[in-house]
Amino acid sequence: MMLIGVGVLSGFLSGLFGIGGGTVIVPALVFLGLSQRHAAATSLAAIIPTSITGVISYATGGDVDWIAAALLACGLIVGSQIGSWLLSRLPEVVLRWVFVVFLVFVILSQIVFTPSRDHVIHMTIATGALLALLGVGIGTLAGLLGIGGGAVMVPALSVLFGASDLMARGTSLLAMFPSSIAGTVANTRRRLVHLRNGLAIGVTAAVVAPLGTVVAGWVTPRMGANLFAAYLGVLLVRSIWTAVKITPGLRERFMRER
């Protein structure tokens, strides 16, 4: 039942914010007893079905840039392999703190920038090359942290390439689909994926994601950014605490100061 609950929440937020839902899934799986490494790998598997229904919902409204998504996806596939390789080698404590830094970055981007509702991406050769490079960087983070990459991709598409908030979300969901498959294949070979848990969350999230897409069209871009920042702020507090608990010396020092 907890896995289904995680799937409902991650699916709704996936449709609402254009993310894969890993920012919900990874902390939840860690709370349920998985290591950060296995939680990240399982989360990436759950994102595969979630992104499919989210893309369909945004595409019906014309809010997907197919060329930009294809270029991002090419970079994401390469980056996800790098991230998967790092995931199997970095210590657990490093993974926890990388996730904290990632959350801080995304929260700041949501606070300082308000996307438009009617802009599109103007494609040039330079824009295409930058999209592919962006995909490599985001794919590395996605493979390493077990996220779809949407939490970085959505603000990046709006801030750097001028996409509207809805187009950035729809394009993000489409781009993360092939990279999530590539990362999951690599993680499965390394025996990091808990497939049953991933399917329970992913199938549930896929059913709920279109509801989040509908709500995304109702709220203003500024309200959407504020909601996303508030949600990530809650996760940040939780992630800092879990990171402190496994960092040698920090927990003892924190308890003494309390």
Side-chain angles (χ1 to χ4, degrees), residues 26 30 36-37 87 90-106 141 144-145 235-254:
V26 173
V30 170
Q36 184 80 15
R37 181 176 289 106
L87 179 64
L90 289 179
E92 180 85 2
V93 65
V94 173
L95 295 174
R96 296 286 180 98
W97 284 110
V98 169
F99 194 71
V100 168
V101 173
F102 161 76
L103 288 176
V104 171
F105 168 79
V106 179
L141 275 177
L144 183 61
L145 301 179
L235 283 184
L236 178 62
V237 174
R238 166 76 184 173
S239 298
I240 290 174
W241 172 238
T242 57
V244 167
K245 286 197 298 183
I246 69 166
T247 303
L250 276 184
R251 183 180 183 183
E252 291 77 7
R253 181 177 178 181
F254 178 76

Side-chain angles (χ1 to χ4, degrees), residues 12-97:
F12 179 75
L13 293 175
S14 175
L16 180 60
F17 298 129
I19 61 176
T23 49
V24 176
I25 300 169
V26 173
L29 290 176
V30 170
F31 176 76
L32 290 173
L34 270 65
S35 70
Q36 184 80 15
R37 181 176 289 106
H38 286 86
T42 303
S43 169
L44 204 60
I47 288 168
I48 296 172
T50 308
S51 61
I52 295 174
T53 55
V55 168
I56 293 172
S57 299
Y58 277 104
T60 55
D63 292 315
V64 175
D65 188 315
W66 299 89
I67 296 176
L71 291 168
L72 281 167
C74 291
L76 283 164
I77 291 172
V78 174
S80 67
Q81 301 305 301
I82 299 172
S84 177
W85 180 82
L86 290 172
L87 179 64
S88 65
R89 286 162 173 78
L90 289 179
E92 180 85 2
V93 65
V94 173
L95 295 174
R96 296 286 180 98
W97 284 110

Side-chain angles (χ1 to χ4, degrees), residues 45-192:
I47 288 168
I48 296 172
T50 308
S51 61
I52 295 174
T53 55
V55 168
I56 293 172
S57 299
Y58 277 104
T60 55
D63 292 315
V64 175
D65 188 315
W66 299 89
I67 296 176
L71 291 168
L72 281 167
C74 291
L76 283 164
I77 291 172
V78 174
S80 67
Q81 301 305 301
I82 299 172
S84 177
W85 180 82
L86 290 172
L87 179 64
S88 65
R89 286 162 173 78
L90 289 179
E92 180 85 2
V93 65
V94 173
L95 295 174
R96 296 286 180 98
W97 284 110
V98 169
F99 194 71
V100 168
V101 173
F102 161 76
L103 288 176
V104 171
F105 168 79
V106 179
I107 289 171
L108 291 176
S109 72
Q110 295 300 302
I111 293 173
V112 302
F113 178 76
T114 302
S116 160
R117 178 62 43 108
D118 56 2
H119 287 180
V120 297
I121 300 172
H122 298 287
M123 192 62 63
T124 64
I125 294 176
T127 300
L130 288 173
L131 283 167
L133 287 174
L134 176 67
V136 173
I138 294 175
T140 301
L141 275 177
L144 183 61
L145 301 179
I147 59 174
V152 177
M153 214 178 326
V154 171
L157 286 172
S158 293
V159 175
L160 301 178
F161 299 97
S164 72
D165 61 326
L166 295 181
M167 180 166 286
R169 294 168 189 170
T171 303
S172 167
L173 284 171
L174 177 58
M176 72 178 65
F177 175 65
S179 67
S180 296
I181 294 176
T184 298
V185 170
N187 288 331
T188 301
R189 289 173 179 169
R190 297 183 175 100
R191 302 177 182 273
L192 296 175

